[in-house]
Amino acid sequence: MTEPAITKDLIEAHGIKPDEYDRILEIIGREPTFTELGIFSAMWNEHCSYKSSKLHLRKLPTKGPQVICGPGENAGVVDIGDGQAVVFKMESHNHPSYIEPYQGAATGVGGILRDVFTMGARPIASMNALSFGEPAHHKTRQLVNGVVEGIGGYGNCFGVPCVGGEVRFDPAYNGNCLVNAFAAGLADADKIFYSAASGVGMPVVYLGAKTGRDGVGGATMASAEFDDTIEEKRPTVQVGDPFTEKRLMEATLELMQTGAVISIQDMGAAGLTCSAVEMGDKGGLGVKLHLENVPQREENMTAYEMMLSESQERMLMVLKPELEAEARAVFVKWDLDFAIVGETIPEDRFLILHNGDVKADLPLSKLSSEAPEYDRPWEPTPEATPLEDVPQIDPIDGLKALISSPNYAGKQWVYEQYDTMVMADSARTPGLGAGIVRVHGTDKLLSFTSDVTPRYVKANPVEGGKQAVAEAYRNLCATGAKPLATTDNLNFGNPEKPAIMGQFVGALDGIGQACLVLDMPIVSGNVSLYNETDGQAILPTPTIGAVGLIDHPDHVIGNEVREGHVAIVIGETEGHLGQSALLAEVFNRVEGDAPAVDLEAEKAHGEFIRANRDLITACTDLSDGGLALAAFEMAEAAGVGVQLDDDSTPFLFGEDQARYLVACNFDKAEALMVAAGSAGIPIVTVGKFTGTTMRMGASEAELDELSAIYRNSFAAAVA
Amino acid sequence: MKAAVLVFPGSNCDRDLVVAFEAAGADVTMVWHKETSLPDGIDIVGVPGGFSYGDYLRCGAIAANSPITRDLKAHAERGGYVLGICNGFQVLTETGLLPGALLRNAGLKYICKTVPLKVQTSDSIFTEGYNAGDVVGFPIAHHDGNYYADDETLAQLEGENRIAFTYEDNPNGSRGDIAGILSHNRRVLGMMPHPERAADIGHGGTDGAALFRACVGALTPA
């Protein structure tokens, strides 16, 4: 079959800029073939090359005694003691999910699970952070339903419990929804598998499902803005098969036990191209592939299609040749493909043969090392306009406005569609605060949270970036966990616009500062840029996923209040209403600065909570919606009323940071006051949990009435 | 007492079921779906939850024709005990070991939450640890748990006191609020809710532990 001629239009259609094409010519000294152009486009797009973000990502703190493997591999690896490690990462599947919500979200989950088990870890927990447009927008309902069903359809069948996440709505996501999927797995710390190939002449083995034409060009699609041609992009979305993924996971973990794996890499974005180049590049080797040996599920596939297909549930492995029979037997057992498709070669060369014809012959290391890297111009985000006066409102009216918005209503409609209990180790399922999963067969537990407040990041990227990490830190501390490490999923608009790039640089600065002070290094992550439609960018959304360790079930801090408990706030309340939930939901005003984050206070207060876990029966962090929303959520979950003494709007709805709401009996409350006094931690009694109503000052409503609003509003708005 | 837990390639509650059986004192073997016979001396076979063969066709339809399922049927026909949970219940109806079928949930959505169930009979080794009329909380997690049987079958199930559990607040549209049923000889139980997810204080409560304790107790020689 003759390949199309290389024209200006063809180059542009591959997302390759003229100066980037000149660079290709310089590297190979000739015009590329069609397949080669596809390979360059796959390797050099924003999604795979991080060309706009790399420079800034390097500044993030990624090290610490707990870190076994930081960014650069399929997922981060963190020590949890006793020779065990937690392996985790968060990754976006935004563009595909907007085009085809069910499959886009499903394959997002599949991709992140593969990243985790490729490293030798069995997935034990997942989370999903979702951002959608305003509920009234004509696409929102379809996207919410499709995305949630896709996540459930994949994760439930695969068999990993979903233990947390976020769902938000804002008009800024009308043209681009965000689907950020997190997965964590458990592995032996000395049995982690990496992607660097080693040894010359070693067989390169293709594992898993067959290759089809789905997802060709997906990574390139995800590296551009949307416009009105979006419907034509549907064929670039992959199709998921969770049953095959489940078998691939079991087979891969079994294969690893045979000792046959030298290195392994999943085929994600840019499929066979990216995985083969990565294994070769990291090992300082070349790779030769014979494409006629690739298992194919469609006829007459070209080299170009095979190299760029993003068919799911596939892996590439470098095999110890003497153990081929054992390795093959595992894949026969699980009824999956196992095909030797190439070999490692000593020279720096990526050689693609198809039925004897050379389809590509490129210097392998240059595909990644010579990928473009940009120091994009950026301008700092202007200082936020000062907040005008906020009128005092009736506290119950304010609370009702919040809990009847799908942003702050209960998310049961979402998480009841996910299996939150499979594996029978979920110590805390979604609903209130971080999720907790037991480390099977040990006394240890892991806490998981995912946080960001995009309004803050837009108003003040540095403080907003800090806040996302600080909130994750608090959510972990509130369960009694020691925060261990972080994964960041950075969702922004078009980086070629200096204002957007300024948001990115600012947010990363804040995230880096917070991770350093709070000792939560970044161990993995993902960047999703070009989340824009017709020039309208999303809110800057750097989602922070974080993991904490609890060493014994007795050390878990609960979240269930009981009748008669004292309600205590730890941390200073000044009543910061800028960029608050109240301001946005009640007054429809998005104004003022983000709350300032005092990282030293965050650290001290978090440590205080952990050190005094025996005095704290229930704990939650205070974040958007302030004390009023947190107290209501705690009361609602337990079915016990609450009385807060103060009725001032800033006190109840302010979003000052470094604060927790704690509940315990009177004796423990007294002891906690003493402990806080001697540690110099701000602490104040704000009321108590009692009765069947929620009362703030003189404003009061039946808890049942509020609960009905809280539990029904989400489905009413978007289901 | 010896239990076997079947493992289909898409089973994902197999380990959970093994853990619950073992906690109750059973000696458990996992049996791969490509095996053609159960190990000797098995008292009870657990058919676990999950997505047996992906369940892209009717749930459990392919599993009902897998190699190990032939011996599962023979085991049941010999009077052996069988506990099918969730996908396991779907497999048991597909094999014909239990009557009826599990249709898509009435609300068309997957549902995962803990629901209250009423124990309808204590007359089986599975339910003798409860009193008829007890209300217990077990998690459900399914997309196709809407139990259907014709009027005649329902009347027979009721007449023979073979309805083991009913939903207090029917989540999926099941006829007669049915959550679990027994075979004619009362030795095969199929149920959509997951007792193995409620058999541990650190996870989902302990209401399900009595089911495993009773099974293991009844089948352990004195």
Side-chain angles (χ1 to χ4, degrees), chain A residues 81-348:
Chain A
D82 311 313
Q84 292 181 302
V86 60
V87 176
F88 64 95
K89 186 181 179 182
M90 190 174 235
E91 194 165 81
S92 62
H93 230 212
N94 305 335
H95 291 74
S97 299
Y98 194 80
I99 298 173
E100 211 308 287
Y102 185 99
Q103 291 298 344
T107 53
V109 173
I112 196 68
L113 289 168
R114 231 160 25 249
D115 279 334
V116 165
F117 68 74
T118 304
M119 309 262 330
R122 178 175 288 271
I124 59 165
S126 70
M127 298 192 284
N128 300 283
L130 312 176
S131 304
F132 298 103
E134 59 196 323
H137 187 264
H138 71 277
K139 286 212 62 154
T140 301
R141 209 168 270 252
Q142 174 219 352
L143 288 171
V144 173
N145 280 275
V147 164
V148 170
E149 220 165 294
I151 289 170
Y154 206 100
N156 298 344
C157 176
F158 180 86
V160 62
C162 178
V163 298
E166 303 172 272
V167 187
R168 75 176 59 81
F169 299 87
D170 190 286
Y173 304 103
N174 281 350
N176 297 79
C177 65
L178 302 184
V179 174
N180 293 176
F182 170 99
L186 186 67
D188 289 341
D190 60 351
K191 293 195 186 73
I192 305 293
F193 288 80
Y194 297 102
S195 55
S198 70
V200 170
M202 296 296 158
V204 172
V205 183
Y206 174 113
L207 307 169
K210 294 186 196 312
T211 295
R213 290 189 171 92
D214 53 326
V216 171
T220 305
M221 170 276 288
S223 302
E225 288 185 38
F226 283 156
D227 52 30
D228 51 14
T229 65
I230 182 173
E231 288 301 322
E232 297 162 19
K233 296 188 162 132
R234 202 172 295 253
T236 61
V237 179
Q238 316 85 322
V239 178
D241 174 2
F243 172 60
T244 298
E245 177 103 333
K246 155 82 173 161
R247 290 182 293 143
L248 183 62
M249 185 256 303
E250 297 290 357
T252 301
L253 295 179
E254 218 170 293
L255 171 72
M256 287 166 170
Q257 288 179 359
T258 66
V261 180
I262 294 175
S263 78
I264 187 159
Q265 172 76 27
D266 83 298
M267 289 192 226
L272 191 52
T273 294
C274 204
S275 55
V277 170
E278 197 144 331
M279 295 210 306
D281 186 45
K282 284 193 175 137
L285 293 164
V287 173
K288 176 158 86 177
L289 297 177
H290 299 274
L291 293 184
E292 62 278 10
N293 297 330
V294 169
Q296 296 155 49
R297 68 162 186 259
E298 294 180 57
E299 285 177 9
N300 302 319
M301 286 191 70
T302 63
Y304 176 90
E305 289 166 335
M306 278 189 267
M307 292 309 291
L308 267 66
S309 163
E310 293 191 9
S311 288
Q312 298 289 291
E313 294 93 24
R314 303 180 300 159
M315 296 273 208
L316 205 61
M317 162 181 79
V318 179
L319 170 78
K320 281 184 194 154
E322 65 274 20
L323 291 172
E324 184 190 329
E326 289 87 336
R328 191 181 288 275
V330 171
F331 278 74
V332 169
K333 171 182 167 189
W334 289 95
D335 298 313
L336 290 165
D337 273 298
F338 177 103
I340 294 178
V341 296
E343 61 184 303
T344 56
I345 52 178
E347 61 271 27
D348 177 16

Side-chain angles (χ1 to χ4, degrees), chain A residues 9 38 44 47 68 110 178 212 242 273 301 315 342 381 395 423 436 445 501 511 543 555 574 589 617 639 699 707:
Chain A
D9 287 350
W44 283 13
H47 187 83
I68 295 173
L178 302 184
T273 294
M301 286 191 70
M315 296 273 208
T381 301
M423 302 183 89
I436 308 177
L445 304 97
M501 203 56 209
I511 289 169
T543 311
H555 299 168
E574 284 177 1
R589 285 164 58 185
T617 307
S699 179
S707 181

Side-chain angles (χ1 to χ4, degrees), chain A residues 48-101:
Chain A
C48 295
S49 72
Y50 293 83
K51 60 191 169 191
S52 303
S53 58
K54 238 189 303 194
L55 179 71
H56 304 283
L57 294 173
R58 286 196 198 103
K59 296 174 194 157
L60 289 170
T62 59
K63 293 190 169 65
Q66 70 273 44
V67 178
I68 295 173
C69 173
E73 284 289 335
N74 287 295
V77 184
V78 176
D79 191 353
I80 58 167
D82 311 313
Q84 292 181 302
V86 60
V87 176
F88 64 95
K89 186 181 179 182
M90 190 174 235
E91 194 165 81
S92 62
H93 230 212
N94 305 335
H95 291 74
S97 299
Y98 194 80
I99 298 173
E100 211 308 287

Side-chain angles (χ1 to χ4, degrees), chain A residues 122 145 149 152-153 155-160 240-244 246-247 250 332-335 413 415-429 438 440, chain B residues 7-16 19 32-34 50-56 108-114 138-141 143 194 196-197 200-204:
Chain A
R122 178 175 288 271
N145 280 275
E149 220 165 294
N156 298 344
C157 176
F158 180 86
V160 62
D241 174 2
F243 172 60
T244 298
K246 155 82 173 161
R247 290 182 293 143
E250 297 290 357
V332 169
K333 171 182 167 189
W334 289 95
D335 298 313
W413 182 87
Y415 60 74
E416 285 179 0
Q417 294 187 55
Y418 303 152
D419 194 336
T420 53
M421 293 185 252
V422 64
M423 302 183 89
D425 278 312
S426 303
R428 190 189 294 173
T429 52
R438 302 187 296 193
H440 194 75
Chain B
V7 182
F8 299 105
S11 297
N12 61 27
C13 303
D14 43 341
R15 185 189 77 181
D16 311 356
V19 168
W32 184 237
H33 68 115
K34 288 181 184 172
F51 289 72
S52 47
Y53 290 83
D55 288 346
Y56 296 120
L108 303 180
K109 301 263 185 224
Y110 185 95
I111 311 168
C112 175
K113 61 177 176 182
T114 297
F138 289 0
I140 55 167
H143 206 305
H194 288 270
E196 84 282 17
R197 293 188 183 188
D200 180 342
I201 188 71
H203 172 91

Side-chain angles (χ1 to χ4, degrees), chain A residues 61 122 147 156 161 205 242 316 320 341 343 391 409 449 451 491 506 547 550 566 582 626 635 671 700 711 718:
Chain A
R122 178 175 288 271
V147 164
N156 298 344
V205 183
L316 205 61
K320 281 184 194 154
V341 296
E343 61 184 303
T449 186
D451 300 283
N491 309 274
V547 180
I550 307 172
V566 184
L582 184 84
E700 188 171 19
R711 285 176 180 256
V718 291

